[in-house]
Amino acid sequence: MSIEQKVQFATTPLSTGVRLHYAQRGDPTGEAIIFLHGYSDSWFSFSRVLPLLSPEYRAFALTQRGHG
C-alpha cells in the first residue's frame, strides 16, 4: 500500500543571514537527490518531476540565491 507524499516547502538560513527556499519530498531516511535549476529560474523547474519520483528517495529542489 502506498501513501501519497506531498511536496513540502521550507527555508534554511545561511551564515550570511540569507534564507534559501526549497521544496522537499520523500522518505527522510532515503537516499538524497538534489535538484539545481538553471539561470534565472527556481525550484519550480522541477515541480512536475518531484511527484513522479519514487517515495523511497529524499528529493530536494532548491531555489538558489538571487533567483526565483
Side-chain angles (χ1 to χ4, degrees):
M1 174 171 27
S2 95
I3 298 172
E4 180 182 344
Q5 293 187 1
K6 296 184 179 176
V7 175
Q8 299 174 331
F9 302 98
T11 60
T12 189
L14 300 180
S15 61
T16 58
V18 174
R19 295 187 69 80
L20 293 183
H21 179 82
Y22 65 94
Q24 63 183 339
R25 180 182 183 279
D27 182 356
T29 63
E31 185 174 351
I33 300 173
I34 299 174
F35 292 94
L36 299 174
H37 61 77
Y39 181 72
S40 176
D41 213 340
S42 70
W43 77 270
F44 194 72
S45 296
F46 308 103
S47 62
R48 295 179 69 181
V49 174
L50 290 174
L52 301 176
L53 291 174
S54 171
E56 70 185 39
Y57 295 106
R58 182 63 164 183
F60 296 94
L62 310 177
T63 295
Q64 298 177 60
R65 184 176 179 179
H67 298 274

